[in-house]
Amino acid sequence: MATLQQLLRPSWFASSSPRHSFTSLSQPQVQPQTVNSVTPKASIKNSSINRREFVAETAAAVSLSLSPLIAPVKPAKSEENLSQWERLYLPIDPGVVLLDIAFVPDDLNHGFLLGTRQTILETKDGGRTWAPRSIPSAEEEDFNYRFNSISFQGKEGWIVGKPAILLYTSDAGESWDRIPLSAQLPGDMVYIKATGEKSAEMVTDEGAIYVTSNKGYNWKAAVQETVSATLNRTVSSGISGASYYTGTFNTVNRSPDGRYVAVSSRGNFYLTWEPGQPFWQPHNRAIARRIQNMGWRADGGLWLLVRGGGLFLSKGTGISEDFEEVPVQSRGFGILDVGYRSKEEAWAAGGSGVLLKTTNGGKTWTRDKAADNIAANLYSVKFINDKKGFVLGNDGVLLQYLG
């Protein structure tokens, strides 16, 4: 019977890929006497026939007699093909961590991708293919820049990095100028936002916020004191964990209307700032676990991620200290970022290729298995608009939204 099964087994059965599943079939019950009855008598009686011809005739007869019982099997589409994301392969070293992405508003086919190890990539086909971009003023032998943030408004663009570097373009990135910076700048530049003609807003990891209106040659402080000074002044007000503050942010995110939310380096508490306020406002966390990241929902409320994979949403809109947890299937891996495609649809990404999706503003989340087989952490979710989105990870992993 083992020989018969081997003869009946399709050629694709023994080497089927684990990425595909096949339609389940109930195996026909073949009685022994049925198998014996199809053995050609002529083959047995004819003593002149050799063994190879005998086996061939037997297999042909069995195949013809059972062919009506076995339906053709078609492989199902793989989960990767059914996903809304596709991985793009980049011409960079595997150890590069991707940090930010932006496109020229007047030409959404033209964009730039930043990362560690002095990585700047450029695309002119909407993000389908990327090529290394050389900027001579940012290629000093003594430094290996980490480019943290990029922003465009019109044809004007800005890039900031660590060690302290500021690049500016007025021609949609065709050429970049290096703008000198003061050596007394507090902290490392982690974020920049283009706000108008020759104007931008820049944030450091020590909480300094500066604005410029003359192409970055002069900067004006928007915050009157450092976060450390604020905490020293308010530590008696009961901010839990403020005494352990190391002087830097872990993450900082800006809302479309210019409000900021930042997480302390240890995740003990978080801080907020609104335009016009003289200093950052510290807030106690209402969750036992430490905060991983925070950001703004499309409706103006806050989302909060905790270490270990928890996701919380603030009640109502605006700045709040009242959060409620939302169940998510993170498989025990931490969730690192959330990006909103629309007011109702958002995506969350995290460790070991975790991808989650909501279509009801964050009330419920389902897991997308597109990146399950990608051995990388997904750090950032960026939607340029409702049709163009990317997920950035370590080891040069870049996912593009397909819709």
Side-chain angles (χ1 to χ4, degrees):
M1 187 63 182
T3 303
L4 176 59
Q5 289 177 346
Q6 293 172 358
L7 293 172
L8 294 178
R9 183 174 297 168
S11 61
W12 46 260
F13 183 86
S15 59
S16 61
S17 170
R19 292 179 177 265
H20 296 77
S21 59
F22 299 92
T23 306
S24 175
L25 293 177
S26 58
Q27 297 294 330
Q29 296 181 354
V30 182
Q31 301 298 329
Q33 58 270 26
T34 305
V35 176
N36 294 335
S37 63
V38 297
T39 304
K41 295 180 180 179
S43 299
I44 298 175
K45 291 181 179 180
N46 189 355
S47 58
S48 63
I49 192 168
N50 60 38
R51 176 175 294 190
R52 180 175 298 177
E53 291 175 338
F54 172 77
V55 172
E57 290 181 8
T58 303
V62 173
S63 176
L64 290 173
S65 63
L66 296 181
S67 58
L69 300 178
I70 302 178
V73 179
K74 296 181 179 180
K77 291 183 178 180
S78 68
E79 291 175 350
E80 251 183 301
N81 292 334
L82 294 175
S83 172
Q84 293 178 275
W85 297 89
E86 178 186 28
R87 181 175 180 181
L88 304 177
Y89 291 88
L90 306 175
I92 55 178
D93 295 333
V96 171
V97 179
L98 302 178
L99 298 174
D100 202 7
I101 188 171
F103 285 78
V104 180
D106 298 336
D107 181 9
L108 291 180
N109 286 322
H110 190 194
F112 293 85
L113 180 63
L114 308 183
T116 59
R117 300 186 184 180
Q118 215 151 304
T119 299
I120 300 180
L121 299 178
E122 184 177 20
T123 181
K124 293 189 176 180
D125 59 6
R128 294 295 304 168
T129 60
W130 297 84
R133 173 61 190 271
S134 174
I135 300 177
S137 59
E139 296 177 352
E140 298 183 16
E141 294 182 0
D142 297 335
F143 295 103
N144 188 3
Y145 289 106
R146 172 191 176 101
F147 294 112
N148 289 320
S149 180
I150 181 172
S151 179
F152 277 95
Q153 184 167 96
K155 292 185 178 181
E156 292 186 78
W158 305 78
I159 293 176
V160 294
K162 174 186 178 182
I165 185 172
L166 174 64
L167 303 175
Y168 170 81
T169 179
S170 58
D171 55 10
E174 295 301 323
S175 62
W176 292 86
D177 299 324
R178 183 167 180 175
I179 308 299
L181 290 167
S182 171
Q184 298 179 348
L185 185 72
D188 297 316
M189 294 177 294
V190 293
Y191 179 81
I192 194 163
K193 172 67 176 178
T195 56
E197 184 179 357
K198 298 181 181 180
S199 301
E201 191 172 271
M202 178 176 64
V203 184
T204 75
D205 62 356
E206 292 188 10
I209 302 177
Y210 292 97
V211 294
T212 183
S213 58
N214 64 352
K215 193 179 165 182
Y217 288 106
N218 297 103
W219 295 87
K220 180 181 178 181
V223 179
Q224 296 180 5
E225 62 183 14
T226 65
V227 174
S228 296
T230 300
L231 293 175
N232 289 334
R233 182 172 49 81
T234 61
V235 68
S236 60
S237 63
I239 302 300
S240 177
S243 59
Y244 298 100
Y245 184 68
T246 59
T248 59
F249 292 155
N250 184 38
T251 63
V252 59
N253 283 295
R254 187 183 188 271
S255 71
D257 60 359
R259 295 175 295 167
Y260 284 92
V261 60
V263 177
S264 67
S265 55
R266 291 175 177 263
N268 304 69
F269 59 96
Y270 64 99
L271 306 100
T272 58
W273 182 84
E274 298 183 68
Q277 289 183 338
F279 46 80
W280 289 83
Q281 303 289 328
H283 301 268
N284 278 313
R285 74 182 195 274
I287 299 100
R289 286 176 286 174
R290 296 190 178 187
I291 305 172
Q292 179 71 47
N293 194 6
M294 292 182 68
W296 302 91
R297 302 197 306 262
D299 64 1
L302 289 167
W303 52 261
L304 182 151
L305 305 174
V306 297
R307 299 177 186 181
L311 189 155
F312 293 76
L313 301 178
S314 65
K315 296 180 180 180
T317 59
I319 296 172
S320 173
E321 295 184 2
D322 192 6
F323 289 82
E324 58 183 356
E325 186 172 9
V326 178
V328 292
Q329 300 175 1
S330 64
R331 300 184 296 157
F333 296 101
I335 304 174
L336 303 176
D337 194 28
V338 176
Y340 276 78
R341 176 175 171 266
S342 65
K343 192 172 182 179
E344 297 298 324
E345 182 179 326
W347 291 82
S352 193
V354 169
L355 268 180
L356 304 169
K357 178 186 178 182
T358 180
T359 56
N360 54 15
K363 297 177 183 178
T364 58
W365 296 78
T366 57
R367 185 163 65 91
D368 187 295
K369 300 180 180 180
D372 277 6
N373 295 325
I374 298 177
N377 294 327
L378 306 178
Y379 288 114
S380 182
V381 182
K382 303 282 186 180
F383 277 98
I384 312 303
N385 54 38
D386 62 349
K387 296 181 180 179
K388 184 183 291 292
F390 297 87
V391 174
L392 285 61
N394 68 334
D395 284 335
V397 170
L398 179 67
L399 306 182
Q400 183 177 34
Y401 180 72
L402 299 177

